[in-house]
Amino acid sequence: MTKLTHRLAKVLETLARALRRYSRDDGKVLILGGVRSGKSHHAERLASRHPHLTYIAPGLPPSAEDPEWAARVAAHRARRPGHWKTVETTDLATVLRTATHPLLIDCLGTWISRVLDEVGAWEQRKGWEQRLDDRLEDFLAAWEQADVPVIAVSNEVGSGVVPATVSGRVFRDVLGAVNNRVSAVSDRTVLVVAGRMLDLP
């Protein structure tokens, strides 16, 4: 093989890899990472190539009672392109089933926290486990069936210290299980560590 042929073969392989990644990015992408790892930044960069996009914010809305959270929300809003539509909701299943444009969900961790609150997990209200299972299965079915490109950001919470409280352990376990299930039916799963994206096979 001549040097020119070898060089051409390398260029074609690089192009083929880029095309494979591009096509996977048009499907379902899960981006995992720890706090301040850069996962949201990478998700927004990946989503920015879509001319029309709906940003789903399932976390608590900002309030004067929690200025630190309000500052985080404001920072996220300031980063988003002005043409992105923002929807604040915990009904992710309906959003996925009715979407006509690509979606960016940021993030599943804040969504799980709110769902646990809505089903009565923190107070251990009777039947909360079944209500939680119903909500999660509905979301997972909608994720698998979604026919628009969708990117979800989620926290990787399984690598740290075991939480000291029951509520902390419930949150960690539920989110870990959801991440596992979402990844299994995604076209691409990415782990962000210290600002670096690692594609998971």
Side-chain angles (χ1 to χ4, degrees):
M1 185 181 284
T2 67
K3 285 185 179 178
L4 179 60
T5 307
H6 184 69
R7 227 179 272 133
L8 182 58
K10 287 182 77 173
V11 168
L12 290 173
E13 177 55 32
T14 301
L15 180 60
R17 279 199 304 270
L19 288 172
R20 285 195 296 271
R21 175 173 287 183
Y22 188 87
S23 64
R24 289 195 298 158
D25 289 347
D26 272 340
K28 301 173 189 76
V29 180
L30 175 63
I31 299 183
L32 299 168
V35 174
R36 301 296 190 190
S37 63
K39 60 188 182 298
S40 292
H41 173 77
H42 282 291
E44 290 160 8
R45 188 171 56 79
L46 194 61
S48 66
R49 64 187 180 83
H50 296 294
H52 304 286
L53 183 125
T54 302
Y55 181 100
I56 310 302
L60 286 169
S63 71
E65 288 77 37
D66 191 345
E68 189 271 342
W69 177 250
R72 284 175 182 257
V73 172
H76 273 256
R77 285 176 176 167
R79 276 204 318 254
R80 289 177 221 154
H83 63 276
W84 284 7
K85 176 183 176 184
T86 299
V87 175
E88 295 181 354
T89 182
T90 59
D91 190 1
L92 298 187
T94 296
V95 168
L96 286 163
R97 290 191 175 103
T98 60
T100 56
H101 294 299
L103 302 173
L104 170 55
I105 302 169
D106 194 359
C107 76
L108 296 183
T110 54
W111 175 67
I112 288 293
S113 181
R114 289 192 71 186
V115 169
L116 286 167
D117 186 51
E118 290 172 4
V119 301
W122 308 137
E123 302 85 18
Q124 302 282 291
R125 288 204 310 262
K126 185 177 179 181
W128 73 266
E129 295 101 331
Q130 186 59 54
R131 290 191 294 275
L132 176 65
D133 285 346
D134 291 344
R135 289 285 296 275
L136 297 182
E137 290 302 327
D138 192 31
F139 160 71
L140 290 163
W143 174 272
E144 191 167 7
Q145 295 158 11
D147 57 6
V148 297
V150 55
I151 300 166
V153 177
S154 191
N155 302 99
E156 180 49 62
V157 292
S159 302
V161 176
V162 174
T165 63
V166 172
S167 59
R169 291 190 292 273
V170 167
F171 172 80
R172 178 202 59 180
D173 292 350
V174 171
L175 183 56
V178 167
N179 288 344
N180 198 321
R181 294 278 302 277
V182 170
S183 178
V185 290
S186 294
D187 300 291
R188 183 183 178 200
T189 299
V190 176
L191 177 64
V192 181
V193 180
R196 302 294 184 93
M197 289 179 65
L198 304 171
D199 271 284
L200 302 181

